[in-house]
Amino acid sequence: MSQRITLLGATGSIGLQTLDVIALHPERYQVFALAAFTRWQALAELCLRHRPRYAVLRDPQAAAALRNHLAAIGSDTEVLEGERALEEVSESPETDVVVAGIVGAAGVRPTLAAVRAGKRVLLANKEALVVTGALFMQAVNDHGAELIPLDSEHNAIFQCLPQEGRSRQGVRRLLLTASGGPFRGYSAEALARVTVEQALKHPNWDMGPKISVDSATLMNKGLELIEASWLFSMDESQIDIVVHPQSVVHSMVEYEDGSVLAQMGTPDMRTPIACGLSWPQRIASGATSLDFLTLSALQFEAANLSLFPCLRLAREALRAGGSAGAVLNAANEIAVQAFLDGQLAFNGIPSCVEATLTHLPATGFTSLDEIMSVDEEARAYARQQVTSRGAQY
Ligand code: NAD
Ligand code: MG
């Protein structure tokens, strides 16, 4: 029987690449719902091609425009709107797999709804896990959800870990690889002057704007460090970061006996997406073969924590635990948007995040509402930092 897919963030980079893989296997997958934020024209096109039962737009005005448009052309896709609708299509008994491809903490509630409904959840939205941490993993356990990471590094580790009961027996450490982003090797002076356009040009991957900036500050690797710790129940001290500019080794697991297992491939998100969709089987993804004969040397080096403080801040937040992940993420979302809007210099991003972490020390939390109110408080403080001190950074 074919798997029915809900795709959160359908119009984004992960969303479109997921639809590319799905389109290669019409006998295996059927699109149940496509969800996005405001871009109704883009969603309209996807509805015509993939004929979902539901199209969801978070923004009601955009939803009204899509509804009119689809009615006029006689489409039988039903349009839903608002945040609650995102949760409804994620927890519906008519869907088997939910792809969490929304960017930022905006994905927390619909992703958790899918987890609580015990779905197979393909997680690209790392921020959802960074914000909710223990609560998220507890819900995975309590509701028997099947969580498969799509982030290429975590998907690599998922593939390299022992499969029986997902045991950690004999695992010594995880090695998360990082491309180093577009500013690897820059001097402090050069880094202080980088532009939005430069930050958005990633050397190896074509991604949405937020994660592209995160890759440039190395906050992406910081969020991934926290993500890996939760996903694989590994202590912060057991996860090392290795800069590997070619993005061919997607990450590694080192065992007690000295064996290191790596997952490799061309840098193409369709590989982890196909892996997550079909696991434990394997299906074609559209990615090209890795050609070892034309590969140039593979390099590995340490990350520069003094030039890229975001990685240090994320490690400290992971050590602090509790609400620190949510504060780190919220401040970073505000700072990245301010950088994209030209209100904050590149180096202002870590400064704003650090100030917010100092202002809101880590506390414990037991409910989603509690942690989402910390998220709001951190956003408000970070916004204030941008307004009052943005020019100084
Ligand atoms: P993107 O900006 O290209 O797309 C984001 C999607 O989320 C869009 O469909 C948008 O409509 C939707 N969205 C944004 N805000 C929303 C809201 N408030 N409510 C509902 N929908 C909303 O981003 P992306 O690059 O596809 O990244 C998505 C997630 O996947 C991020 O968490 C990112 O870190 C992660 N990720 C992406 C890649 C990649 O190659 N793009 C790789 C690894 C992990
Ligand atoms: Mg990644």
Side-chain angles (χ1 to χ4, degrees):
M1 213 181 88
S2 77
Q3 298 271 298
R4 299 160 298 178
I5 317 270
T6 285
L7 181 46
L8 302 170
T11 53
S13 160
I14 289 292
L16 295 174
Q17 295 182 85
T18 302
L19 289 171
D20 283 351
V21 176
I22 288 176
L24 294 175
H25 306 278
E27 71 299 347
R28 289 186 76 112
Y29 306 109
Q30 167 189 337
V31 181
F32 171 68
L34 293 178
F37 193 14
T38 53
R39 294 178 45 218
W40 70 265
Q41 290 99 332
L43 195 56
E45 269 177 45
L46 297 177
C47 288
L48 291 188
R49 201 167 328 137
H50 299 280
R51 308 174 55 94
R53 170 86 185 78
Y54 295 105
V56 186
L57 282 163
R58 170 83 181 258
D59 178 60
Q61 272 179 326
L66 179 65
R67 201 173 287 121
N68 285 338
H69 177 79
L70 291 183
I73 59 174
S75 156
D76 44 18
T77 293
E78 191 176 328
V79 179
L80 308 175
E81 65 190 51
E83 182 168 21
R84 184 65 201 127
L86 294 171
E87 294 176 43
E88 280 162 12
V89 292
S90 300
E91 64 200 14
S92 164
E94 292 172 78
T95 195
D96 307 297
V97 179
V98 175
V99 180
I102 290 177
V103 60
V108 164
R109 288 182 191 276
T111 305
L112 259 179
V115 167
R116 288 173 172 160
K119 305 297 181 192
R120 171 176 284 206
V121 178
L122 307 188
L123 185 73
N125 183 200
K126 64 194 87 183
E127 297 93 342
L129 182 51
V130 169
V131 170
T132 56
L135 197 86
F136 192 104
M137 296 312 293
Q138 188 63 47
V140 170
N141 263 328
D142 290 351
H143 300 278
E146 193 184 2
L147 183 62
I148 303 186
L150 291 192
D151 219 341
S152 57
E153 297 77 1
H154 306 73
N155 186 266
I157 291 169
F158 170 84
Q159 294 189 48
C160 294
L161 280 173
Q163 295 307 315
E164 301 79 39
R166 313 301 305 162
S167 127
R168 299 293 163 268
Q169 201 277 321
V171 174
R172 187 187 280 160
R173 61 177 178 145
L174 308 180
L175 291 128
L176 272 183
T177 52
S179 70
F183 305 138
R184 186 178 63 92
Y186 271 42
S187 66
E189 298 72 45
L191 206 56
R193 290 191 308 266
V194 299
T195 64
V196 170
E197 198 193 4
Q198 288 172 305
L200 291 180
K201 260 201 208 107
H202 194 278
N204 305 338
W205 305 93
D206 187 10
M207 310 181 286
K210 195 260 177 182
I211 183 177
S212 296
V213 176
D214 285 347
S215 300
T217 59
L218 294 201
M219 182 58 97
N220 184 48
K221 215 45 59 179
L223 296 172
E224 290 186 357
L225 169 74
I226 301 175
E227 179 187 16
S229 168
W230 287 118
L231 278 174
F232 307 119
S233 322
M234 296 290 280
D235 192 70
E236 169 268 327
S237 63
Q238 295 172 289
I239 309 172
D240 288 341
I241 310 288
V242 183
V243 174
H244 164 50
Q246 292 79 18
S247 301
V248 164
V249 175
H250 297 309
S251 277
M252 299 174 264
V253 175
E254 183 186 295
Y255 287 86
E256 293 295 352
D257 62 5
S259 297
V260 180
L261 300 193
Q263 185 264 351
M264 303 169 76
T266 49
D268 190 325
M269 285 306 293
R270 291 174 303 175
T271 298
I273 290 168
C275 169
L277 284 169
S278 62
W279 189 262
Q281 296 178 0
R282 299 283 185 165
I283 56 170
S285 69
T288 55
S289 291
L290 185 59
D291 182 355
F292 283 89
L293 301 183
T294 58
L295 268 188
S296 56
L298 298 183
Q299 294 165 273
F300 300 94
E301 60 194 44
N304 185 335
L305 296 190
S306 61
L307 278 183
F308 298 98
C310 285
L311 196 46
R312 168 180 59 80
L313 294 172
R315 216 176 251 289
E316 287 168 5
L318 178 55
R319 245 183 259 137
S323 60
V327 173
L328 174 95
N329 177 71
N332 182 58
E333 285 191 33
I334 296 298
V336 168
Q337 194 55 54
F339 169 68
L340 289 170
D341 295 341
Q343 295 164 358
L344 194 63
F346 186 73
N347 287 335
I349 298 173
S351 307
C352 176
V353 172
E354 185 151 28
T356 311
L357 281 166
T358 308
H359 179 71
L360 291 170
T363 59
F365 64 94
T366 52
S367 73
L368 185 55
D369 287 341
E370 219 179 317
I371 196 62
M372 293 319 283
S373 82
V374 173
D375 166 277
E376 269 173 40
E377 221 181 314
R379 276 168 208 270
Y381 187 79
R383 258 185 224 111
Q384 204 179 307
Q385 286 295 299
V386 170
T387 319
S388 62
R389 302 185 49 203
Q392 278 166 258
Y393 290 143

mmCIF file of all heavy atoms in Angstrom, residues 164-186:
data_model
loop_
_atom_site.group_PDB
_atom_site.id
_atom_site.type_symbol
_atom_site.label_atom_id
_atom_site.label_comp_id
_atom_site.label_asym_id
_atom_site.label_seq_id
_atom_site.Cartn_x
_atom_site.Cartn_y
_atom_site.Cartn_z
ATOM 1 N N GLU A 164 20.414 -2.588 15.665
ATOM 2 C CA GLU A 164 19.595 -3.349 16.620
ATOM 3 C C GLU A 164 19.166 -2.454 17.780
ATOM 4 O O GLU A 164 20.007 -2.037 18.571
ATOM 5 C CB GLU A 164 20.339 -4.569 17.199
ATOM 6 C CG GLU A 164 20.793 -5.562 16.165
ATOM 7 C CD GLU A 164 22.058 -5.087 15.459
ATOM 8 O OE1 GLU A 164 22.913 -4.512 16.142
ATOM 9 O OE2 GLU A 164 22.148 -5.270 14.233
ATOM 10 N N GLY A 165 17.869 -2.182 17.849
ATOM 11 C CA GLY A 165 17.308 -1.398 18.950
ATOM 12 C C GLY A 165 17.943 -0.018 19.039
ATOM 13 O O GLY A 165 17.884 0.627 20.073
ATOM 14 N N ARG A 166 18.545 0.437 17.951
ATOM 15 C CA ARG A 166 19.243 1.726 17.937
ATOM 16 C C ARG A 166 20.189 1.823 19.144
ATOM 17 O O ARG A 166 20.271 2.842 19.828
ATOM 18 C CB ARG A 166 18.267 2.919 17.950
ATOM 19 C CG ARG A 166 17.120 2.840 16.972
ATOM 20 C CD ARG A 166 17.510 2.721 15.535
ATOM 21 N NE ARG A 166 18.418 3.778 15.062
ATOM 22 C CZ ARG A 166 19.141 3.680 13.960
ATOM 23 N NH1 ARG A 166 19.115 2.594 13.235
ATOM 24 N NH2 ARG A 166 19.911 4.646 13.582
ATOM 25 N N SER A 167 20.910 0.719 19.434
ATOM 26 C CA SER A 167 21.770 0.697 20.617
ATOM 27 C C SER A 167 22.993 1.588 20.440
ATOM 28 O O SER A 167 23.435 1.868 19.333
ATOM 29 C CB SER A 167 22.186 -0.757 20.880
ATOM 30 O OG SER A 167 23.571 -0.870 20.973
ATOM 31 N N ARG A 168 23.538 2.055 21.576
ATOM 32 C CA ARG A 168 24.760 2.883 21.543
ATOM 33 C C ARG A 168 25.954 2.033 21.966
ATOM 34 O O ARG A 168 26.999 2.550 22.277
ATOM 35 C CB ARG A 168 24.658 4.069 22.520
ATOM 36 C CG ARG A 168 23.547 5.018 22.239
ATOM 37 C CD ARG A 168 23.760 5.770 20.930
ATOM 38 N NE ARG A 168 22.489 6.353 20.524
ATOM 39 C CZ ARG A 168 21.630 5.741 19.733
ATOM 40 N NH1 ARG A 168 21.897 4.554 19.226
ATOM 41 N NH2 ARG A 168 20.479 6.301 19.426
ATOM 42 N N GLN A 169 25.755 0.707 22.032
ATOM 43 C CA GLN A 169 26.807 -0.172 22.530
ATOM 44 C C GLN A 169 28.088 0.011 21.719
ATOM 45 O O GLN A 169 28.076 -0.090 20.499
ATOM 46 C CB GLN A 169 26.311 -1.629 22.470
ATOM 47 C CG GLN A 169 27.060 -2.582 23.377
ATOM 48 C CD GLN A 169 28.348 -3.079 22.744
ATOM 49 O OE1 GLN A 169 28.402 -3.351 21.556
ATOM 50 N NE2 GLN A 169 29.409 -3.154 23.550
ATOM 51 N N GLY A 170 29.178 0.303 22.419
ATOM 52 C CA GLY A 170 30.472 0.400 21.758
ATOM 53 C C GLY A 170 30.726 1.695 21.009
ATOM 54 O O GLY A 170 31.776 1.856 20.386
ATOM 55 N N VAL A 171 29.787 2.632 21.059
ATOM 56 C CA VAL A 171 30.005 3.904 20.349
ATOM 57 C C VAL A 171 30.868 4.816 21.228
ATOM 58 O O VAL A 171 30.544 5.050 22.386
ATOM 59 C CB VAL A 171 28.668 4.616 20.032
ATOM 60 C CG1 VAL A 171 28.914 6.000 19.437
ATOM 61 C CG2 VAL A 171 27.830 3.768 19.086
ATOM 62 N N ARG A 172 31.979 5.299 20.682
ATOM 63 C CA ARG A 172 32.852 6.178 21.471
ATOM 64 C C ARG A 172 32.484 7.648 21.250
ATOM 65 O O ARG A 172 32.354 8.413 22.176
ATOM 66 C CB ARG A 172 34.301 5.942 21.077
ATOM 67 C CG ARG A 172 35.288 6.694 21.964
ATOM 68 C CD ARG A 172 36.701 6.582 21.435
ATOM 69 N NE ARG A 172 37.319 5.309 21.787
ATOM 70 C CZ ARG A 172 38.386 4.806 21.143
ATOM 71 N NH1 ARG A 172 38.913 5.436 20.114
ATOM 72 N NH2 ARG A 172 38.902 3.658 21.513
ATOM 73 N N ARG A 173 32.318 8.050 20.006
ATOM 74 C CA ARG A 173 31.941 9.450 19.771
ATOM 75 C C ARG A 173 31.329 9.622 18.377
ATOM 76 O O ARG A 173 31.496 8.758 17.502
ATOM 77 C CB ARG A 173 33.126 10.401 19.949
ATOM 78 C CG ARG A 173 34.251 10.125 18.998
ATOM 79 C CD ARG A 173 35.395 11.134 19.152
ATOM 80 N NE ARG A 173 36.457 10.739 18.217
ATOM 81 C CZ ARG A 173 37.234 11.586 17.569
ATOM 82 N NH1 ARG A 173 37.104 12.880 17.751
ATOM 83 N NH2 ARG A 173 38.161 11.132 16.746
ATOM 84 N N LEU A 174 30.660 10.741 18.220
ATOM 85 C CA LEU A 174 30.097 11.113 16.922
ATOM 86 C C LEU A 174 30.974 12.218 16.350
ATOM 87 O O LEU A 174 31.415 13.109 17.080
ATOM 88 C CB LEU A 174 28.668 11.643 17.075
ATOM 89 C CG LEU A 174 27.679 10.768 17.845
ATOM 90 C CD1 LEU A 174 26.297 11.452 17.887
ATOM 91 C CD2 LEU A 174 27.548 9.386 17.190
ATOM 92 N N LEU A 175 31.216 12.174 15.065
ATOM 93 C CA LEU A 175 31.967 13.247 14.400
ATOM 94 C C LEU A 175 31.043 13.912 13.386
ATOM 95 O O LEU A 175 30.688 13.322 12.361
ATOM 96 C CB LEU A 175 33.186 12.666 13.687
ATOM 97 C CG LEU A 175 34.253 12.157 14.662
ATOM 98 C CD1 LEU A 175 34.643 10.741 14.318
ATOM 99 C CD2 LEU A 175 35.455 13.062 14.638
ATOM 100 N N LEU A 176 30.631 15.131 13.722
ATOM 101 C CA LEU A 176 29.756 15.889 12.823
ATOM 102 C C LEU A 176 30.644 16.668 11.864
ATOM 103 O O LEU A 176 31.475 17.466 12.318
ATOM 104 C CB LEU A 176 28.970 16.917 13.625
ATOM 105 C CG LEU A 176 27.649 16.574 14.272
ATOM 106 C CD1 LEU A 176 27.077 17.828 14.928
ATOM 107 C CD2 LEU A 176 26.667 16.042 13.249
ATOM 108 N N THR A 177 30.453 16.479 10.593
ATOM 109 C CA THR A 177 31.252 17.272 9.654
ATOM 110 C C THR A 177 30.537 18.590 9.349
ATOM 111 O O THR A 177 29.306 18.682 9.399
ATOM 112 C CB THR A 177 31.527 16.508 8.343
ATOM 113 O OG1 THR A 177 30.296 16.032 7.824
ATOM 114 C CG2 THR A 177 32.476 15.353 8.564
ATOM 115 N N ALA A 178 31.351 19.604 9.041
ATOM 116 C CA ALA A 178 30.846 20.949 8.728
ATOM 117 C C ALA A 178 31.587 21.420 7.487
ATOM 118 O O ALA A 178 32.791 21.228 7.383
ATOM 119 C CB ALA A 178 31.146 21.896 9.887
ATOM 120 N N SER A 179 30.880 22.047 6.568
ATOM 121 C CA SER A 179 31.585 22.536 5.373
ATOM 122 C C SER A 179 32.488 23.724 5.719
ATOM 123 O O SER A 179 33.453 23.993 5.033
ATOM 124 C CB SER A 179 30.583 22.978 4.312
ATOM 125 O OG SER A 179 29.951 24.165 4.752
ATOM 126 N N GLY A 180 32.137 24.417 6.802
ATOM 127 C CA GLY A 180 32.879 25.639 7.148
ATOM 128 C C GLY A 180 32.211 26.875 6.568
ATOM 129 O O GLY A 180 32.557 27.996 6.932
ATOM 130 N N GLY A 181 31.253 26.674 5.666
ATOM 131 C CA GLY A 181 30.488 27.794 5.113
ATOM 132 C C GLY A 181 31.289 28.662 4.164
ATOM 133 O O GLY A 181 32.459 28.392 3.897
ATOM 134 N N PRO A 182 30.660 29.732 3.670
ATOM 135 C CA PRO A 182 31.322 30.576 2.659
ATOM 136 C C PRO A 182 32.489 31.397 3.210
ATOM 137 O O PRO A 182 33.277 31.924 2.429
ATOM 138 C CB PRO A 182 30.195 31.504 2.189
ATOM 139 C CG PRO A 182 29.182 31.489 3.281
ATOM 140 C CD PRO A 182 29.273 30.148 3.931
ATOM 141 N N PHE A 183 32.618 31.530 4.529
ATOM 142 C CA PHE A 183 33.648 32.424 5.088
ATOM 143 C C PHE A 183 34.780 31.669 5.773
ATOM 144 O O PHE A 183 35.531 32.240 6.566
ATOM 145 C CB PHE A 183 33.005 33.433 6.053
ATOM 146 C CG PHE A 183 31.886 34.210 5.423
ATOM 147 C CD1 PHE A 183 30.710 34.465 6.109
ATOM 148 C CD2 PHE A 183 31.988 34.676 4.102
ATOM 149 C CE1 PHE A 183 29.661 35.168 5.524
ATOM 150 C CE2 PHE A 183 30.952 35.377 3.500
ATOM 151 C CZ PHE A 183 29.786 35.623 4.212
ATOM 152 N N ARG A 184 34.911 30.395 5.463
ATOM 153 C CA ARG A 184 36.019 29.622 6.027
ATOM 154 C C ARG A 184 37.343 30.259 5.604
ATOM 155 O O ARG A 184 37.516 30.581 4.424
ATOM 156 C CB ARG A 184 35.937 28.182 5.484
ATOM 157 C CG ARG A 184 36.918 27.220 6.084
ATOM 158 C CD ARG A 184 36.697 25.840 5.508
ATOM 159 N NE ARG A 184 36.944 25.808 4.061
ATOM 160 C CZ ARG A 184 38.115 25.513 3.508
ATOM 161 N NH1 ARG A 184 39.132 25.193 4.255
ATOM 162 N NH2 ARG A 184 38.248 25.526 2.193
ATOM 163 N N GLY A 185 38.228 30.461 6.580
ATOM 164 C CA GLY A 185 39.543 31.020 6.257
ATOM 165 C C GLY A 185 39.573 32.541 6.203
ATOM 166 O O GLY A 185 40.623 33.127 5.972
ATOM 167 N N TYR A 186 38.423 33.203 6.400
ATOM 168 C CA TYR A 186 38.402 34.673 6.400
ATOM 169 C C TYR A 186 39.136 35.210 7.634
ATOM 170 O O TYR A 186 39.132 34.581 8.696
ATOM 171 C CB TYR A 186 36.953 35.188 6.441
ATOM 172 C CG TYR A 186 36.310 35.366 5.085
ATOM 173 C CD1 TYR A 186 36.480 34.431 4.083
ATOM 174 C CD2 TYR A 186 35.508 36.487 4.826
ATOM 175 C CE1 TYR A 186 35.875 34.610 2.845
ATOM 176 C CE2 TYR A 186 34.894 36.658 3.597
ATOM 177 C CZ TYR A 186 35.083 35.715 2.613
ATOM 178 O OH TYR A 186 34.481 35.884 1.408
#
